[in-house]
Amino acid sequence: MNTSAQIDIRLGGQERHRGAIARLYLHALHEKIAPLLGTGEKAERLLSESLNLDRILVALRNGQFLGVAGFEQHGRGVFSPRFASMFRIFGWSGGIRLLAMAMLDRSKSSDTLLMDGLAVVDEARGQGIGTLLLAAVEDHARRLGKRGVRLDVIDTNPLARRLYERRGYRSVKTHAVGLFRFLFSFAASTEMRKDLAA
């Protein structure tokens, strides 16, 4: 789908961008990812291998990767790490890491599309790409017959929250991370939702 003369938003990623997408997620969502996977080559390799290219929308300009928005559909999100990969990359700690990731899984609703991360490369920020990706997620949700889009934003990311509020998202509830506060650098996550019925 072509959303502007300069920026092309596409459903599904290309194999040649797999590494760039993994690196961007690792950089942009480091507060959520780093405590579980670290920030180095092992984490990047796991994300690259477990990336579901059919669960993302990508922003491109002249074929250059600029940003990504992920979503969950039919029980599969942006990443599907397997135990075998976790064990191969992290050794025995891979199982513990996978269990911790599963404990952070969020409840779902069949009438709502769950957005699973939005990120834009540093050199393309401030150009409205995040807004275009968010609109594309909403369009995808409508095509799937969903009545809304849901996302979670952590309390240390006020810029993202302001973007979501400008796009009509409202806070539904805030979840404290509880004992996970000793692991993560944020204390709470706010669930936000936008109704698409209008």
Side-chain angles (χ1 to χ4, degrees):
M1 74 190 85
N2 207 337
T3 44
S4 88
Q6 297 180 335
I7 308 298
D8 185 33
I9 307 292
R10 295 184 185 175
L11 175 61
Q14 297 177 337
E15 193 63 41
R16 67 189 175 105
H17 293 135
R18 183 179 286 275
I21 294 167
R23 281 189 296 279
L24 179 58
Y25 265 109
L26 188 59
H27 172 71
L29 304 177
H30 68 276
E31 290 181 280
K32 293 180 180 179
I33 296 173
L36 298 174
L37 301 179
T39 58
E41 181 268 334
K42 289 183 178 181
E44 185 179 320
R45 185 163 27 125
L46 179 76
L47 294 181
S48 182
E49 289 181 14
S50 64
L51 175 63
N52 296 315
L53 292 169
D54 61 340
R55 293 295 187 267
I56 58 175
L57 291 138
V58 295
L60 305 169
R61 181 189 289 125
N62 299 323
Q64 179 187 2
F65 171 71
L66 300 176
V68 62
F71 57 89
E72 186 168 303
Q73 188 177 338
H74 305 304
R76 282 178 63 237
V78 177
F79 300 103
S80 298
R82 301 180 191 280
F83 178 78
S85 297
M86 294 290 285
F87 181 76
R88 178 172 41 80
I89 294 171
F90 291 104
W92 289 107
S93 71
I96 296 168
R97 294 169 194 260
L98 194 59
L99 179 62
M101 291 167 70
M103 290 174 67
L104 294 173
D105 201 18
R106 301 160 286 182
S107 61
K108 290 120 187 139
S109 170
S110 61
D111 70 340
T112 304
L113 184 72
L114 178 61
M115 192 179 87
D116 195 8
L118 186 151
V120 176
V121 298
D122 287 343
E123 56 270 24
R125 290 187 177 208
Q127 300 176 26
I129 294 168
T131 300
L132 290 173
L133 283 165
L134 194 53
V137 168
E138 294 162 11
D139 289 343
H140 183 63
R142 288 186 186 94
R143 282 193 298 278
L144 293 173
K146 303 293 185 182
R147 296 177 58 195
V149 174
R150 186 190 138 202
L151 55 86
D152 295 302
V153 61
I154 57 177
D155 58 1
T156 56
N157 196 353
L159 288 176
R161 182 167 178 152
R162 284 198 290 275
L163 167 64
Y164 303 142
E165 288 172 341
R166 282 196 308 271
R167 287 286 307 171
Y169 287 78
R170 59 181 174 78
S171 300
V172 176
K173 61 178 111 168
T174 298
H175 306 275
V177 296
L179 292 176
F180 282 106
R181 70 184 180 277
F182 298 111
L183 185 63
F184 295 104
S185 60
F186 57 93
S189 173
T190 299
E191 178 182 327
M192 302 185 78
R193 179 185 167 116
K194 180 176 181 177
D195 293 321
L196 301 176

